[in-house]
Amino acid sequence: MENKREDRLQRLLFALRKTDKIHLKEAALLLDVSEMTVRRDLGGSASPLILLGGYIVIDPKNNPATHYFVSEQKMRQVAEKQQLARRAAMLVADDDLVFFDCGTTTPYIIEQIPDERVFTAICYSLNTFLALQEKPNCEVIMCGGKFRASNGIFIPFAQSSELSHALPDKAFISAAGVSLQYGVSCFNFDELLMKHQAMQRCREKILVVDNTKFGQIRPAAIGALAEFTSLVTDRMPAQSYLDYCQAAAMPVHY
């Protein structure tokens, strides 16, 4: 039940990107539920939305782009993520087959892809899937499995998934830590199966991280920095990282 509530709140958040308010009745029609169900959703814990005068609006204490219910990072470095997203979105070309990772940065990238861009996307997280649904010329392939509400991903039951049968042109990989000594890492071990598959099967492996991730080491190892083909961030990294990327013939976009 909680997963369905989070899905409905996500859909309302995306609808509110195009308007400043939605009437309660319109929201119920959009979600195909009763007005009472919408009221219960808004009154529950951790809701980014509130009901004012019969209209649903974004709670002023929250930022709409950060509520993806995936980790404690959802309220952090919003400006940085938006900035690097603009640069990353420029790397998507027509007719590309693109793997999109989970995390709070990925939806910003998708949002910046021009609506006229024709491409196919593979994903395994709820927030990424919902963002891709907003792209009119995108065909989406969703990898299924057991849903993990803590970070909003679907975990395959076996070692294979829809990604196992594809050879994407590009992969946008998110991370929570980038270290020259220990490599690229994230918080959740549940994400590693899909991240590792993407690293193996995608021709271009694009690491997208904001500047706060450099020098951080997280528990789950994604791979060495040299395994990526390019790096996208919001500002120029320290010289040691620039030297490393240059030696590895890895373009840095910022």
Side-chain angles (χ1 to χ4, degrees):
M1 292 297 292
E2 182 65 19
N3 293 343
K4 291 182 179 180
R5 172 181 175 263
E6 291 182 359
D7 179 51
R8 291 192 292 267
L9 290 174
Q10 289 279 14
R11 292 172 64 186
L12 290 175
L13 279 169
F14 277 104
L16 282 167
R17 287 184 174 183
K18 301 176 182 178
T19 184
D20 59 347
K21 60 184 179 182
I22 301 175
H23 196 276
L24 178 62
K25 183 177 294 186
E26 294 176 350
L29 290 172
L30 173 67
L31 301 174
D32 194 25
V33 296
S34 67
E35 292 182 24
M36 182 57 67
T37 297
V38 178
R39 287 180 181 273
R40 283 198 297 266
D41 287 348
L42 300 177
S45 62
S47 172
L49 307 173
I50 57 175
L51 187 63
L52 290 176
Y55 287 89
I56 298 170
V57 298
I58 296 166
D59 190 329
K61 299 191 297 295
N62 296 292
N63 184 309
T66 60
H67 280 268
Y68 294 105
F69 304 97
V70 292
S71 76
E72 64 179 11
Q73 305 300 313
K74 62 187 178 182
M75 294 296 291
R76 300 181 178 179
Q77 285 77 51
V78 175
E80 290 86 346
K81 292 171 183 176
Q82 291 173 330
Q83 186 170 341
L84 70 86
R86 287 190 288 271
R87 193 68 185 85
M90 296 170 61
L91 301 176
V92 179
D94 281 330
D95 301 319
D96 271 349
L97 174 58
V98 186
F99 171 84
F100 289 95
D101 203 359
C102 62
T104 56
T105 300
T106 308
Y108 291 112
I109 299 173
I110 296 167
E111 186 180 65
Q112 293 295 325
I113 298 173
D115 285 347
E116 61 269 21
R117 183 74 68 232
V118 179
F119 67 103
T120 301
I122 301 178
C123 64
Y124 68 107
S125 68
L126 179 61
N127 65 326
T128 303
F129 175 77
L130 291 172
L132 288 166
Q133 290 294 290
E134 298 293 308
K135 297 288 118 177
N137 291 305
C138 175
E139 182 176 0
V140 186
I141 301 171
M142 182 70 177
C143 299
K146 181 179 180 181
F147 183 67
R148 184 77 69 189
S150 60
N151 52 351
I153 67 171
F154 292 87
I155 306 171
F157 285 105
Q159 292 297 310
S160 64
S161 68
E162 286 76 5
L163 181 57
S164 304
H165 307 286
L167 293 171
D169 300 287
K170 300 178 176 86
F172 289 100
I173 306 293
S174 60
V178 182
S179 165
L180 295 180
Q181 181 177 0
Y182 295 101
V184 182
S185 55
C186 63
F187 285 105
N188 297 298
F189 288 93
D190 291 337
E191 300 172 11
L192 291 183
L193 175 61
M194 296 302 293
K195 289 180 188 287
H196 288 169
Q197 279 193 10
M199 294 290 289
Q200 293 168 3
R201 304 196 65 79
C202 299
R203 280 166 284 184
E204 294 185 40
K205 297 167 275 288
I206 305 164
L207 176 63
V208 286
V209 290
D210 66 73
N211 69 90
T212 65
K213 305 305 188 297
F214 293 101
Q216 301 296 321
I217 302 169
R218 304 306 182 190
I222 300 171
L225 182 56
E227 294 181 36
F228 293 85
T229 55
S230 61
L231 167 66
V232 180
T233 187
D234 60 302
R235 66 176 67 169
M236 185 173 69
Q239 190 61 47
S240 59
Y241 287 93
L242 292 176
D243 292 342
Y244 182 99
C245 292
Q246 183 177 14
M250 181 193 312
V252 181
H253 307 277
Y254 57 91

